[in-house]
């Protein structure tokens, strides 16, 4: 049995209900130092929430002045959570003003200069006013404990009702046939492979014919046995046909085993987040997809964090996003970044590729439009609180899933969808890898594309700038836009492409899984997973919600 002190020090991630309670505290809907929204970091010392940039400045103050934690990534003790409940942005800002301080934060144009803001924060939190508030907050333990206890109780009740089933690991028999057909189509589409097979067949047939002529000539002279030459011809034909088949089957087994043994499961934190989202009505797990709902917005009462809305508020999103995961990646791994994007107001739909062993290989026979329309219908009509409305839809994908999104857009969806988001993609689907490839999107009127890649992404570097595949990639997408951070296109233009690099990011940083070592090792990320996904989520949401 743990004593009370040990229990208080036991740390665990914040649940959805705890986050909702924290963010419902006055002025906790945005950063305490600047107008940035949302704020996913906190200074436990002052009980305030912060944006990523201001959290970095607070970290620079030292833990003796400001102890910084992530609301979504770090584990929290009950004592730390209770301190946050006692605090709040408004309580701290009111205390600061009442005791001779002046606001440096919300709405101030001075925050545009980060150096100026950093100096002001350093001065502010080194003051006697801040020291006094730290002591008050640390000693005021009578407030907030009931809230924490109730939050933990509600969380346990919700989690008991939600359980994510484990997906069965596919067998070699499950994966062999689709892998065989995929490699067969790839081989037939490859000019070099066709030439090699033609040369090999010609050599085999030529050798057989030469033996046949030799046998005919010798038999005419009555000094040889016909059975010897028949066996020789049979051996040549067997080797000619059997050797390529043997090599091909061995290669198919090797690739199939690679697909089985290198499945990328989601981190436990991602699974816990999805469970919390489902518990609070902000997500659904369906047969075809996972759905992440935006906050329900009331005309009179602002945003309600719960997906279920009993007051009859309209459930409407400006944009919906159909997302195809990377090959072999568990769809649950995208729960954190999908949640961030949905918090900006986008309805996010993550496709389920488990039925394709997490790697959809049959591009030729895949019914893109039918599957996408079914996912859209399920997402809109399967919420426990009623039907949703979405003004427009976009296709998105990570890595191999990005190729699926390109093919789907080019073949069937470009007449109804005009936005495409690609994460970790630097090459266009080819005839070799995607059963005939697909048409160019360059001249599709109104088509707009956002390409996000980490600077340390090994898969992107493989087909990076200067390579033939990358040049083809850029040539088949709409023209590149120079103003990369301003998602606005000129009227009447056929569309444009925004290509943005996340400095320090890598391939696996798009989701909660890894490290990725197959089919080649990923690059080393030099920023945190939270930082990469925060940047990607904001850029993606800005692009989808703007009027390009």
């Amino acid at each position: 049995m743990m004593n009370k002190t040990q229990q208080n020090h036991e740390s665990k991630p914040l649940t959805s209900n705890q986050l909702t309670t924290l963010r419902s505290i006055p002025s906790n809907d945005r950063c305490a130092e600047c107008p940035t929204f949302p704020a996913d970091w906190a200074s436990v010392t002052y009980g305030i929430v912060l944006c990523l940039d201001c959290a970095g400045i607070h970290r620079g103050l030292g833990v003796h002045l400001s102890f910084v934690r992530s609301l979504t990534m770090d584990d929290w003790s009950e004592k730390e959570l209770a301190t946050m409940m006692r605090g709040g942005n408004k309580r701290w800002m009111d205390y600061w003003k009442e005791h001779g301080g002046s606001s440096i934060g919300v709405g101030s144009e001075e925050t545009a200069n980060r150096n100026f803001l950093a100096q002001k924060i350093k001065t502010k939190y080194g003051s006697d006013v801040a020291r006094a508030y730290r002591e008050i907050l640390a000693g005021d333990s009578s407030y907030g404990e009931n809230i924490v206890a109730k939050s933990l109780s509600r969380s346990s009740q919700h989690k008991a009702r939600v359980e994510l089933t484990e997906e069965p690991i596919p067998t070699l028999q499950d994966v062999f046939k689709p892998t065989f057909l995929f490699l067969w189509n790839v081989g037939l589409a490859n000019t070099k492979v066709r030439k090699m097979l033609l040369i090999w067949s010609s050599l085999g047939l030529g050798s057989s014919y030469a033996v046949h002529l030799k046998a005919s000539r010798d038999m005419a002279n009555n000094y040889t046995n016909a059975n010897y030459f028949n066996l020789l011809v049979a051996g040549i034909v067997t080797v000619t046909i059997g050797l390529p088949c043997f090599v091909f089957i061995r290669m198919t087994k090797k690739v199939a085993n690679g697909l089985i043994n290198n499945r990328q499961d989601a981190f436990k934190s991602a699974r816990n987040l999805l469970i919390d989202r489902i518990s609070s009505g902000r997500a659904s797990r369906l047969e075809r997809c996972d759905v992440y709902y935006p906050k329900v917005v009331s005309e009179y009462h602002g945003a309600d964090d719960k997906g279920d809305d009993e007051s009859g508020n309209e459930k409407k999103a400006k944009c919906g996003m159909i997302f195809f995961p990377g090959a072999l990646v568990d769809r649950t791994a995208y729960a954190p970044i999908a949640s961030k994007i949905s918090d900006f107001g986008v309805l996010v739909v993550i496709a389920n590729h488990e039925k394709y062993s997490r790697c959809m290989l049959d591009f030729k026979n895949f019914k893109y439009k039918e599957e996408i329309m079914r996912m859209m219908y399920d997402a809109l009509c399967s919420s426990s609180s009623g039907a949703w409305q979405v003004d427009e839809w976009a296709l998105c994908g990570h890595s191999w899933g990005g190729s699926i999104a390109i093919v789907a857009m080019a073949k069937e969806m470009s007449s109804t969808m005009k936005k495409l988001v690609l994460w970790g993609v630097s090459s266009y689907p080819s005839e070799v890898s995607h059963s005939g490839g697909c048409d160019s999107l360059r001249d599709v009127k109104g088509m707009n594309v956002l390409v996000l890649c980490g600077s340390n992404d090994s898969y992107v570097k493989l087909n990076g700038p200067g390579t033939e595949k990358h040049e083809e990639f850029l040539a088949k997408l709409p023209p590149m836009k120079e103003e990369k951070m301003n998602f606005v296109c000129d009227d009447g233009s056929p569309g444009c492409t925004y290509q943005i690099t996340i400095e320090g990011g890598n391939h696996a940083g798009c989701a909660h899984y890894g490290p990725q070592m197959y089919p080649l090792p990923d690059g080393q990320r030099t920023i945190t997973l939270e930082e990469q996904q925060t940047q990607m989520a904001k850029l993606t949401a800005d692009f989808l919600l703007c009027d390009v």
Side-chain angles (χ1 to χ4, degrees):
M1 293 288 293
M2 291 187 299
N3 58 38
K4 186 174 180 180
T5 302
Q6 288 174 316
Q7 289 176 346
N8 286 339
H9 284 81
E10 183 181 356
S11 298
K12 61 184 68 175
L14 295 179
T15 67
S16 177
N17 291 320
Q18 291 166 344
L19 281 171
T20 299
T21 304
L22 276 178
R23 285 171 172 155
S24 67
I25 296 173
S27 298
N28 274 19
D29 60 335
R30 62 189 67 238
C31 178
E33 311 292 0
C34 71
T36 299
F37 172 86
D40 289 330
W41 294 78
S43 170
V44 181
T45 311
Y46 302 92
I48 57 177
V49 296
L50 305 165
C51 68
L52 178 63
D53 288 340
C54 291
I57 297 174
H58 269 255
R59 270 210 178 108
L61 300 176
V63 294
H64 64 292
L65 290 182
S66 184
F67 180 56
V68 178
R69 309 288 286 167
S70 168
L71 293 177
T72 57
M73 296 292 293
D74 288 330
D75 291 341
W76 287 69
S77 68
E78 291 185 26
K79 182 178 179 181
E80 291 167 347
L81 182 56
T83 302
M84 293 296 298
M85 296 296 185
R86 294 195 298 271
N89 288 3
K90 188 175 187 303
R91 185 182 181 186
W92 162 231
M93 288 188 286
D94 289 345
Y95 183 90
W96 174 254
K97 292 177 183 178
E98 290 171 4
H99 291 78
S102 60
S103 175
I104 67 166
V106 180
S108 174
E109 294 180 0
E110 294 170 345
T111 59
N113 186 328
R114 305 307 296 183
N115 292 331
F116 179 84
L117 178 60
Q119 184 58 44
K120 293 280 281 186
I121 288 176
K122 183 176 181 181
T123 302
K124 179 178 182 178
Y125 290 93
S127 66
D128 291 337
V129 176
R131 178 183 55 77
Y133 185 79
R134 290 198 298 271
E135 294 174 356
I136 291 172
L137 199 62
D140 186 10
S141 60
S142 61
Y143 178 75
E145 293 180 351
N146 290 335
I147 298 177
V148 175
K150 291 178 181 179
S151 176
L152 290 171
S153 176
R154 287 197 302 267
S155 172
S156 299
Q157 293 172 4
H158 283 309
K159 283 191 176 182
R161 296 197 298 267
V162 177
E163 184 175 346
L164 298 182
T165 57
E166 294 289 341
E167 302 288 353
I169 297 176
T171 64
L172 181 60
Q173 185 178 0
D174 297 328
V175 180
F176 184 85
K177 183 177 179 180
T179 306
F180 182 92
L181 295 175
F182 173 75
L183 294 177
W184 180 262
N185 290 327
V186 168
L188 293 181
N190 191 305
T191 304
K192 291 182 178 179
V193 172
R194 291 201 304 268
K195 286 182 178 179
M196 289 176 61
L197 290 175
L198 180 61
I199 293 172
W200 177 257
S201 300
S202 299
L203 287 173
L205 291 174
S207 301
S208 299
Y209 184 68
V211 171
H212 175 71
L213 290 180
K214 173 68 173 172
S216 300
R217 190 179 306 113
D218 290 351
M219 289 173 63
N221 295 327
N222 295 319
Y223 56 81
T224 189
N225 190 339
N227 290 332
Y228 169 77
F229 287 101
N230 290 336
L231 289 174
L232 187 58
V233 170
I236 293 173
V237 172
T238 301
V239 171
T240 302
I241 298 174
L243 185 60
C245 291
F246 174 78
V247 171
F248 186 75
I249 290 173
R250 286 290 300 272
M251 182 173 64
T252 301
K253 285 185 176 180
K254 182 177 180 180
V255 173
N257 282 319
L259 298 179
I260 294 171
N261 297 328
N262 291 279
R263 289 159 56 90
Q264 297 287 347
D265 293 327
F267 292 159
K268 186 176 180 180
S269 59
R271 293 179 62 84
N272 291 338
L273 177 60
L274 177 56
I275 291 173
D276 288 337
R277 285 267 168 165
I278 295 174
S279 300
S280 62
R282 290 289 306 279
S284 295
R285 165 145 287 189
L286 308 175
E287 181 182 355
R288 288 188 179 87
C289 56
D290 289 348
V291 187
Y292 297 82
Y293 301 105
K295 296 178 182 179
V296 176
V297 178
S298 168
E299 182 178 356
Y300 303 102
H301 303 292
D304 180 2
D305 189 62
K306 293 185 178 181
D308 53 339
D309 183 69
E310 299 176 356
S311 62
N313 295 327
E314 186 177 29
K315 299 170 186 63
K316 186 174 182 179
K318 183 177 180 180
C319 186
M321 163 181 161
I322 304 291
F323 184 88
F324 295 98
L328 306 181
V329 182
D330 183 358
R331 54 177 165 158
T332 308
Y334 296 91
I337 194 167
S339 298
K340 290 178 185 293
I341 295 173
S342 70
D343 286 342
F344 283 106
V346 179
L347 192 150
V348 182
V349 181
I350 308 293
N352 177 19
H353 281 174
E354 288 292 345
K355 55 185 176 180
Y356 307 109
S357 302
R358 293 189 187 171
C359 188
M360 201 275 285
L361 298 172
D362 191 1
F363 283 80
K364 186 175 182 180
N365 298 314
F366 184 69
K367 298 177 180 178
Y368 295 95
K369 189 171 184 178
E370 179 180 336
E371 287 295 322
I372 289 171
M373 296 300 289
R374 286 180 181 273
M375 284 191 286
M376 290 167 57
Y377 176 82
D378 290 348
L380 295 175
C381 300
S382 298
S383 171
S384 60
S385 59
W388 277 78
Q389 297 180 38
V390 173
D391 292 339
E392 65 172 337
W393 288 90
L395 289 185
C396 314
H398 173 214
S399 190
W400 189 260
S403 297
I404 298 175
I406 293 174
V407 175
M409 185 69 82
K411 284 190 172 183
E412 297 185 296
M413 304 305 300
S414 60
S415 61
T416 56
M417 295 183 180
K418 298 300 180 182
K419 289 182 179 178
L420 177 65
V421 180
L422 306 173
W423 296 349
V425 180
S426 61
S427 61
Y428 208 78
S430 66
E431 294 183 2
V432 174
S433 61
H434 296 85
S435 302
C438 60
D439 296 334
S440 170
L441 292 172
R442 190 167 189 83
D443 297 322
V444 177
K445 188 174 182 180
M447 179 60 61
N448 298 284
V449 182
L450 172 65
V451 181
L452 297 178
C453 298
S455 61
N456 299 334
D457 188 331
S458 298
Y459 295 82
V460 170
K461 289 180 178 180
L462 189 65
N463 299 311
T467 64
E468 183 179 343
K469 286 189 175 181
H470 189 69
E471 295 302 321
E472 179 192 16
F473 178 64
L474 297 180
K476 290 189 175 182
L477 292 180
M480 191 67 61
K481 191 76 171 180
E482 295 299 328
E483 297 82 3
K484 295 181 179 179
M485 301 303 291
N486 182 21
F487 297 127
V488 178
C489 289
D490 300 329
D491 294 337
S493 67
C496 56
T497 297
Y498 302 90
Q499 188 172 19
I500 301 175
T501 299
I502 307 298
E503 292 298 331
N506 67 352
H507 199 73
C510 299
H512 274 47
Y513 72 94
Q516 184 158 342
M517 304 300 292
Y518 179 87
L520 72 151
D522 192 11
Q524 185 69 38
R525 191 174 58 248
T526 57
I527 58 176
T528 66
L529 190 61
E530 170 74 10
E531 288 170 339
Q532 178 171 346
Q533 293 188 11
T534 297
Q535 292 183 55
M536 294 184 68
K538 188 175 189 310
L539 288 168
T540 299
D542 287 348
F543 173 77
L544 294 176
L545 296 174
C546 73
D547 296 321
V548 294

